[in-house]
Amino acid sequence: MTPLVVGNTVRISCKVSVVSSNGRKTTSNNDEYSTRILSRRAIVATLPEEGNANGICSLVQDDLAPRPLVHGTRKFLVAPMFTSVGMEECEMDTSDVRELLPFEQAEFGGGGGGGNVDLQDDSILSRVEQYKGYGDELLRLGDYTCAISYYEAALGLVSSKFDNVGGSLLIRRNGHSVIAEVDCIDDDGTYDVTYILPNGETEEGTMKQTDILMAVWPYDQRQELFLQPRILLNLCRCLLRLAEVDGCIGEKSSASKKDRKEKYRQAAVLGCSCAITLCEHYIADNSAAEQSVSSLLEKARIVRARAFLDLGKMPNATKDAKKVLQLNSSSQREAQKLLTEINAVQAYKKAVDKRLSKEVCRWVQTATSSTSGAAAMNKMSDLVSDHENNTQKKVTFSPTINSEVAKDPRGDSDNTVILKWFIEFSKKCYLEIVCCIAFIVAMFVVR
């Protein structure tokens, strides 16, 4: 590595602890499951002491939130974008500092680089493959933030053209991603489309541009490259990795960090759903493509099941994992492992809920058996008695009182009867009622 220079952009690497889906740090003996190697970009602030080539240097590290490339699209199709991002100071041994990769020096600047990415071939296919290759290389290094930027740039080249009449779009409809063929675009921006349903049937309808997720790249399907679902799959893997490590680097936990984790996982679900819809569309159009696409389809379901699991949506995660298990595929072992983890998380949460309910019952029993609890019940009885006396007086002296009430020897009105019944019922089932209410509240807190 060339000597460090103040102001240069470099890459730093460190190990971070990973928290499992059940809220505890993983305890596997395999270090791969308890820690992750995280790489990120940083700017050199100060150098080690003079004469000490290997020492501690100060850096300002970038926020983990991904950002669009300087020369790419200004927005993402799948990954979330955050307006509030910052930089943090850190100290790092120079042995953990690396230069940026050559293509990064051209794209992001730093290390003597500059200018645009070197693209000799102007074809879209060449650029998409190039950006995907850059993203794959960064993913292997553990720099999920920059990898997402390159994957999104690759998608943006082929998936951002929504005004192609006769083309196909991936849209959001009734909470699902479906394929729609564009018939025409009205002057008010409304799209007349033909929906291609999963069962092969078609249905005409209208939609707005806000319903569009991305455009389908026809060249990708004709040449059987399937780059779109491959890019989406790797992008979703990066999003899940980023959700694991964002906020885990000695930073204080905050609501914003938790919100970012959830948005990463929701974006991973969206990206996997798009990849699954694309793969199913390819197979429906050309049965010969099934052999090439089936593995992508299975992997997308596995990644989406992982995202659902981390979001706490166990039924959805279980459904995806079981679909993979039903197929005689190479992903069966991974699906079975994921299903075992889902069952373990459910058992853990059930044990926590059971322990919590016991604590609530113990607390309620202590409260109702105390002197103050008994006094509260007696006070409720006194209030009912006072209400009965007032009602009897109204029956005796008011000529306009309902005749049905006047016939009641106790003079109870409908409201009084209901109130008395409720009090008597509360006396008998007070503990059960309070336990149920407290348990329901506790369940919401746990969730």
mmCIF file of all heavy atoms in Angstrom, residues 78 214 232-233 235-236 239 266-276:
data_model
loop_
_atom_site.group_PDB
_atom_site.id
_atom_site.type_symbol
_atom_site.label_atom_id
_atom_site.label_comp_id
_atom_site.label_asym_id
_atom_site.label_seq_id
_atom_site.Cartn_x
_atom_site.Cartn_y
_atom_site.Cartn_z
ATOM 1 N N VAL A 78 -34.706 0.094 -5.242
ATOM 2 C CA VAL A 78 -35.044 -0.868 -4.191
ATOM 3 C C VAL A 78 -34.536 -0.410 -2.825
ATOM 4 O O VAL A 78 -35.299 -0.361 -1.856
ATOM 5 C CB VAL A 78 -34.464 -2.264 -4.519
ATOM 6 C CG1 VAL A 78 -34.757 -3.248 -3.391
ATOM 7 C CG2 VAL A 78 -35.035 -2.780 -5.838
ATOM 8 N N MET A 214 -40.282 -1.200 -11.207
ATOM 9 C CA MET A 214 -39.176 -1.103 -12.148
ATOM 10 C C MET A 214 -39.621 -1.624 -13.512
ATOM 11 O O MET A 214 -40.660 -2.298 -13.620
ATOM 12 C CB MET A 214 -37.952 -1.883 -11.662
ATOM 13 C CG MET A 214 -38.151 -3.379 -11.558
ATOM 14 S SD MET A 214 -36.675 -4.222 -10.915
ATOM 15 C CE MET A 214 -36.605 -3.547 -9.260
ATOM 16 N N LEU A 232 -30.685 -8.169 -8.379
ATOM 17 C CA LEU A 232 -31.622 -7.982 -7.267
ATOM 18 C C LEU A 232 -31.294 -8.898 -6.094
ATOM 19 O O LEU A 232 -31.361 -8.485 -4.925
ATOM 20 C CB LEU A 232 -33.051 -8.251 -7.748
ATOM 21 C CG LEU A 232 -33.705 -7.153 -8.593
ATOM 22 C CD1 LEU A 232 -34.969 -7.682 -9.265
ATOM 23 C CD2 LEU A 232 -34.027 -5.938 -7.740
ATOM 24 N N LEU A 233 -30.923 -10.127 -6.389
ATOM 25 C CA LEU A 233 -30.614 -11.093 -5.340
ATOM 26 C C LEU A 233 -29.395 -10.656 -4.529
ATOM 27 O O LEU A 233 -29.415 -10.668 -3.288
ATOM 28 C CB LEU A 233 -30.386 -12.469 -5.962
ATOM 29 C CG LEU A 233 -30.192 -13.642 -5.003
ATOM 30 C CD1 LEU A 233 -31.353 -13.771 -4.045
ATOM 31 C CD2 LEU A 233 -30.002 -14.935 -5.791
ATOM 32 N N LEU A 235 -28.197 -7.634 -4.331
ATOM 33 C CA LEU A 235 -28.558 -6.392 -3.661
ATOM 34 C C LEU A 235 -29.273 -6.678 -2.343
ATOM 35 O O LEU A 235 -28.987 -6.055 -1.310
ATOM 36 C CB LEU A 235 -29.445 -5.561 -4.585
ATOM 37 C CG LEU A 235 -30.105 -4.305 -4.005
ATOM 38 C CD1 LEU A 235 -29.058 -3.317 -3.538
ATOM 39 C CD2 LEU A 235 -31.027 -3.660 -5.025
ATOM 40 N N CYS A 236 -30.187 -7.645 -2.368
ATOM 41 C CA CYS A 236 -30.928 -7.995 -1.147
ATOM 42 C C CYS A 236 -30.016 -8.626 -0.099
ATOM 43 O O CYS A 236 -30.206 -8.413 1.102
ATOM 44 C CB CYS A 236 -32.078 -8.943 -1.495
ATOM 45 S SG CYS A 236 -33.341 -8.169 -2.524
ATOM 46 N N LEU A 239 -28.395 -5.784 1.615
ATOM 47 C CA LEU A 239 -29.319 -5.086 2.498
ATOM 48 C C LEU A 239 -29.472 -5.818 3.830
ATOM 49 O O LEU A 239 -29.509 -5.198 4.899
ATOM 50 C CB LEU A 239 -30.679 -4.940 1.816
ATOM 51 C CG LEU A 239 -30.754 -3.920 0.664
ATOM 52 C CD1 LEU A 239 -32.051 -4.080 -0.108
ATOM 53 C CD2 LEU A 239 -30.622 -2.498 1.198
ATOM 54 N N GLN A 266 -37.163 -4.455 4.914
ATOM 55 C CA GLN A 266 -38.339 -4.295 4.057
ATOM 56 C C GLN A 266 -37.932 -4.160 2.591
ATOM 57 O O GLN A 266 -38.597 -4.706 1.707
ATOM 58 C CB GLN A 266 -39.133 -3.066 4.507
ATOM 59 C CG GLN A 266 -39.838 -3.244 5.843
ATOM 60 C CD GLN A 266 -40.453 -1.956 6.357
ATOM 61 O OE1 GLN A 266 -40.145 -0.869 5.865
ATOM 62 N NE2 GLN A 266 -41.318 -2.067 7.353
ATOM 63 N N ALA A 267 -36.840 -3.432 2.343
ATOM 64 C CA ALA A 267 -36.337 -3.304 0.976
ATOM 65 C C ALA A 267 -35.861 -4.650 0.444
ATOM 66 O O ALA A 267 -36.026 -4.954 -0.753
ATOM 67 C CB ALA A 267 -35.207 -2.280 0.924
ATOM 68 N N ALA A 268 -35.276 -5.480 1.319
ATOM 69 C CA ALA A 268 -34.843 -6.818 0.897
ATOM 70 C C ALA A 268 -36.040 -7.671 0.503
ATOM 71 O O ALA A 268 -35.981 -8.434 -0.476
ATOM 72 C CB ALA A 268 -34.049 -7.490 2.014
ATOM 73 N N VAL A 269 -37.130 -7.568 1.242
ATOM 74 C CA VAL A 269 -38.357 -8.286 0.877
ATOM 75 C C VAL A 269 -38.855 -7.823 -0.480
ATOM 76 O O VAL A 269 -39.235 -8.636 -1.342
ATOM 77 C CB VAL A 269 -39.441 -8.072 1.957
ATOM 78 C CG1 VAL A 269 -40.788 -8.614 1.474
ATOM 79 C CG2 VAL A 269 -39.049 -8.754 3.256
ATOM 80 N N LEU A 270 -38.845 -6.508 -0.707
ATOM 81 C CA LEU A 270 -39.288 -5.963 -1.988
ATOM 82 C C LEU A 270 -38.411 -6.459 -3.135
ATOM 83 O O LEU A 270 -38.919 -6.901 -4.179
ATOM 84 C CB LEU A 270 -39.269 -4.434 -1.931
ATOM 85 C CG LEU A 270 -39.537 -3.691 -3.244
ATOM 86 C CD1 LEU A 270 -40.934 -4.007 -3.752
ATOM 87 C CD2 LEU A 270 -39.341 -2.188 -3.069
ATOM 88 N N GLY A 271 -37.099 -6.380 -2.962
ATOM 89 C CA GLY A 271 -36.189 -6.813 -4.015
ATOM 90 C C GLY A 271 -36.329 -8.289 -4.337
ATOM 91 O O GLY A 271 -36.330 -8.684 -5.521
ATOM 92 N N CYS A 272 -36.462 -9.121 -3.312
ATOM 93 C CA CYS A 272 -36.634 -10.563 -3.538
ATOM 94 C C CYS A 272 -37.966 -10.860 -4.217
ATOM 95 O O CYS A 272 -38.052 -11.748 -5.080
ATOM 96 C CB CYS A 272 -36.544 -11.319 -2.212
ATOM 97 S SG CYS A 272 -34.881 -11.406 -1.524
ATOM 98 N N SER A 273 -39.002 -10.127 -3.830
ATOM 99 C CA SER A 273 -40.312 -10.325 -4.468
ATOM 100 C C SER A 273 -40.236 -9.985 -5.953
ATOM 101 O O SER A 273 -40.825 -10.694 -6.790
ATOM 102 C CB SER A 273 -41.368 -9.454 -3.781
ATOM 103 O OG SER A 273 -41.507 -9.803 -2.412
ATOM 104 N N CYS A 274 -39.521 -8.914 -6.291
ATOM 105 C CA CYS A 274 -39.338 -8.559 -7.711
ATOM 106 C C CYS A 274 -38.568 -9.649 -8.446
ATOM 107 O O CYS A 274 -38.915 -10.026 -9.573
ATOM 108 C CB CYS A 274 -38.600 -7.228 -7.817
ATOM 109 S SG CYS A 274 -39.559 -5.794 -7.277
ATOM 110 N N ALA A 275 -37.503 -10.161 -7.816
ATOM 111 C CA ALA A 275 -36.708 -11.221 -8.446
ATOM 112 C C ALA A 275 -37.545 -12.485 -8.654
ATOM 113 O O ALA A 275 -37.457 -13.142 -9.709
ATOM 114 C CB ALA A 275 -35.483 -11.529 -7.585
ATOM 115 N N ILE A 276 -38.372 -12.841 -7.679
ATOM 116 C CA ILE A 276 -39.219 -14.035 -7.792
ATOM 117 C C ILE A 276 -40.241 -13.865 -8.916
ATOM 118 O O ILE A 276 -40.463 -14.774 -9.727
ATOM 119 C CB ILE A 276 -39.929 -14.306 -6.443
ATOM 120 C CG1 ILE A 276 -38.902 -14.760 -5.394
ATOM 121 C CG2 ILE A 276 -41.026 -15.355 -6.597
ATOM 122 C CD1 ILE A 276 -39.434 -14.821 -3.982
#
